[in-house]
Amino acid sequence: MADAFPLDYSRARADFLAAAEEAGARLRTFTLPGHSGPDGGELCVDTAYLGPSDPAKLLVTVSGTHGIEGFCGSACQTGILLREGVAKAAAGTTTGVLLVHALNPYGFAYLRRVNEDNVDLNRNFVYHDALPHNGAYDTVHRTLVPTDAAEFSPGELVANLTALRDRLGPQRLQEAVTRGQYRHPDGLFYGGHAPTWSRRVFETVVAEQVAGAAHIGYIDLHTGLGERGVGEPIFRGGRDAGAHHRARRWYGDALTVSEHGTSSSTPIVGNTATAVADGLDAGSRLTAITLEFGTQPGPEVLLALCADTWLHRHHPPNDAVRSDLKRLIRDAFCPADDARWREQVLQRAREVFDQAVVGLADTKQGEAA
């Protein structure tokens, strides 16, 4: 099953569509206008649905919110939910399963965490007429994205990042960088100045395929934070009084909460679960997590993000995607040569998918505390 990890976006999409058709899923496609992949092919968000036309309960999984992280998410969706039959077995007379594949297809295809406009999609679900401000990011931006660096110098960047980490401390640096920022379009974790195409697609999916369900179990698949190979369920909502207690019953003591300081992730704004919560009918319940798989230590992941930002600042996309520097970001979000990591990811994904299916099926667990 470690071979379930695709070699590139095009193969990931082809495998997903083939597996969805074999499972009898209903497919839907949204094509990104004005862009194509490195191979000239279309860039698409695809959804696959199994279950009744009007489900009372719905399991939703999303891959590729952060493009390059789609290698892992796609493998979990295609290999486990579709080819192993987990989605088909979970779907019933009142329960549906919806898979959203490659929510950021541009980033997936070009081996980037961000989209075609350097926007971090998981910071884009905010009200853009009243943007939050992250003043701490302003103080670190020039170190992360040096504007005068015509050549990439890994040693110099490592030294500067180390000095920044020593000055601020690891926690304050992570909070400054990852919370999300809206003033530096060329920077890291930029949330954008307006709703992105991917956001509009996702809001359409929520409105037309999710909103009517009474209870939604939501899993957004990510990589890059936490202990290597460990899949951490990070609580992301919903908003009813029993949501956290319900998630704890589903996922046990492994569940973490960024706002409580128990997670590898610091608090963030504008994530995809926000769109689900905003789009639900009154009285619907949401039990939402990010399933985060650790890869490398934080400093190495940050180095890869800085290097990739520099690369795309100075080179056209089709040149950048073929650069040797891409090895850094590929290893930071989907280690290419680590079969053990892939096996750990798939095993943990099975466990979490099963927990979500059981949670949705159990009426007692589905109720608020």
Side-chain angles (χ1 to χ4, degrees), residues 197-335:
W197 175 83
S198 289
R199 170 179 169 170
R200 296 194 300 272
V201 166
F202 190 61
E203 289 173 338
T204 297
V205 170
V206 170
E208 297 179 1
Q209 297 182 256
V210 178
H215 190 184
I216 296 92
Y218 181 74
I219 302 173
D220 195 5
L221 296 153
H222 285 261
T223 62
L225 283 177
E227 185 178 347
R228 189 176 181 90
V230 173
E232 175 190 353
I234 306 171
F235 179 67
R236 294 294 185 217
R239 295 172 180 162
D240 65 277
H244 177 256
H245 178 74
R246 188 169 59 244
R248 177 73 63 179
R249 293 177 68 174
W250 287 24
Y251 300 111
D253 292 340
L255 185 78
T256 64
V257 183
S258 300
E259 291 74 12
H260 296 175
T262 59
S263 174
S264 63
S265 169
T266 56
I268 64 174
V269 295
N271 62 75
T272 61
T274 302
V276 182
D278 287 346
L280 294 186
D281 294 345
S284 294
R285 295 188 305 273
L286 171 65
T287 309
I289 63 167
T290 293
L291 181 55
E292 183 81 47
F293 293 100
T295 52
Q296 293 181 340
E300 294 181 33
V301 174
L302 181 57
L303 172 64
L305 289 172
C306 292
D308 195 64
T309 301
W310 177 90
L311 180 63
H312 282 266
R313 183 187 182 95
H314 292 277
H315 298 277
N318 281 307
D319 292 340
V321 76
R322 296 177 176 87
S323 168
D324 290 342
L325 282 177
K326 280 295 182 180
R327 179 74 183 201
L328 290 176
I329 197 165
R330 183 69 183 257
D331 286 348
F333 293 101
C334 185

